[in-house]
Amino acid sequence: MTLEQVYDLALNTLKDAGASESNAASVAKSTWRAERDGIRSHGLMYVPIYAEHVRCGKVIGDAVPVVSQPRPGAVSVDAKHGFAHPAIDAGWDAFTQAARDNGVAVLTLHNSYNCGILGHHAERLAEDGLLGLCFTHAPASVAPVGGKKPVVGTNPFALGVPDGKGGASMVIDQSISVVAKSEIVLRNKNGEAIEEGWAFGPDGEPTTDAAVALKGTMAPSGGYKGVGMGLTVELLASCLAGAVLSTQASPFAGTAGGPPSTGQCFIAFDPAGFSGDAFFAQVETLLTTIRDQDGARVPGDRRKNNRASTESAGVKVNEAQQRALGLIE
């Protein structure tokens, strides 16, 4: 499929499920970006889940987000149990303008949902000339060190660094677990084993069975350090944003429970309000010290490289995905 076909398929599938045109378009663009960057676990694989959630009421397909600005540098969005992407879009202009006016600003969302690839939102801030820090929490799937009961989600965080030319010089995007849960979901769908050290079963023992892992907990990256970062994200994306805790959120997969009601927190810094042009010179020097080393890679470079190949070769969709999307019987 071409990327345009990916976008159209996602758009029409979501509209057919009951999403409004604007909401479907925002999520379809996210799907387009995921497939463009070769991040298959957040691309077309998720579209049937999104559609299912609109139909069953876990997501309000025609929700209209409500934006408020209680402080000059604070923008809050009530997503109204709709998709996160249009809610982020709704608060974006006020948020980025506040960052330019004040030097720094924060955007939070509550009554929200899965926001897709967090790094894309960080990259968007970088393209707007802002240094962006992004946080989102998820239904609990990571247990504290020494425990077996999950207390936080995979809780990703991302950093987008502007290059001063309308692009991003670096994008860091990682979850606090060894691997994103969507990767285990994808392996389970394809009947494949997962890698050792990715997850634990319900008994707290390591497992390579994806189905067992989905009933257990994810392994935190770096042990107690990963759990600490997960709690940091939880405080920002859940507690500060006014969203539910990860332990209270319904799953992002399946139809159990009502809307997840999760949240996000984005922080934007305008370099002009701090070190000015010196910021970009320092960043360039920093990245050069990485790229000058044989075999070293700046975070985000692989995604950029994937874009060129995807745009020329297209997106391959296996039979299982074609069936899930209604392309074949």
Side-chain angles (χ1 to χ4, degrees):
M1 298 179 70
T2 65
L3 286 172
E4 289 73 19
Q5 288 172 327
V6 167
Y7 175 85
D8 289 341
L9 176 59
L11 176 72
N12 292 327
T13 300
L14 292 170
K15 285 171 59 179
D16 289 345
S20 65
E21 176 88 26
S22 60
N23 288 352
S26 185
V27 179
K29 188 65 174 178
S30 172
T31 304
W32 181 94
R33 290 191 183 102
E35 293 291 352
R36 175 199 63 179
D37 290 3
I39 309 174
R40 309 303 305 277
S41 60
H42 284 73
L44 286 172
M45 187 194 88
Y46 245 108
V47 171
I49 297 173
Y50 291 150
E52 178 184 52
H53 285 179
V54 172
R55 287 192 294 267
C56 77
K58 282 179 75 77
V59 176
I60 307 304
D62 58 356
V64 178
V66 176
V67 181
S68 62
Q69 193 166 353
R71 297 286 191 279
V75 178
S76 175
V77 180
D78 183 347
K80 295 294 183 178
H81 302 301
F83 286 111
H85 302 83
I88 293 168
D89 290 342
W92 196 262
D93 289 345
F95 168 47
T96 53
Q97 187 58 53
R100 295 187 183 95
D101 291 342
N102 301 299
V104 61
V106 179
L107 168 69
T108 62
L109 294 93
H110 61 283
N111 291 328
S112 189
Y113 181 75
N114 185 339
C115 70
I117 297 170
L118 192 62
H120 285 159
H121 305 293
E123 184 175 14
R124 183 179 176 186
L125 283 171
E127 290 170 347
D128 281 348
L130 303 169
L131 176 65
L133 270 171
C134 302
F135 308 88
T136 184
H137 75 122
S141 60
V142 177
V145 174
K148 297 180 181 179
K149 184 177 180 180
V151 293
V152 297
T154 53
N155 290 14
F157 59 95
L159 171 70
V161 183
D163 60 8
K165 305 171 186 176
S169 60
M170 178 172 65
V171 176
I172 298 173
D173 182 3
Q174 60 190 70
S175 66
I176 63 97
S177 55
V178 173
V179 67
K181 190 172 183 178
S182 56
E183 292 291 341
I184 295 182
V185 172
L186 181 59
R187 293 285 185 100
N188 186 50
K189 282 181 176 292
N190 294 335
E192 300 170 352
I194 62 173
E195 305 298 323
E196 290 185 6
W198 278 15
F200 304 98
D203 57 1
E205 296 298 319
T207 182
T208 58
D209 187 316
V212 173
L214 291 174
K215 297 176 183 178
T217 59
M218 305 288 292
S221 179
Y224 71 90
K225 293 183 179 181
V227 174
M229 190 63 220
L231 290 170
T232 300
V233 174
E234 189 82 8
L235 286 165
L236 293 168
S238 170
C239 302
L240 185 69
V244 302
L245 294 172
S246 289
T247 54
Q248 300 166 329
S250 66
F252 282 155
T255 58
S261 302
T262 47
Q264 289 84 32
C265 176
F266 300 161
I267 306 173
F269 302 87
D270 185 355
F274 298 92
S275 59
D277 289 342
F279 170 83
F280 300 106
Q282 287 285 75
V283 170
E284 184 60 32
T285 300
L286 173 63
L287 300 187
T288 298
T289 63
I290 297 174
R291 292 196 171 103
D292 282 350
Q293 299 182 45
D294 289 340
R297 184 178 66 236
V298 171
D301 279 357
R302 183 165 54 185
R303 292 185 184 184
K304 289 182 180 178
N305 294 335
N306 284 340
R307 293 173 185 179
S309 60
T310 301
E311 287 169 358
S312 62
V315 176
K316 292 183 179 180
V317 185
N318 63 32
E319 287 190 15
Q321 279 191 323
Q322 289 181 57
R323 290 192 182 92
L325 291 162
L327 297 176
I328 60 175
E329 294 183 358

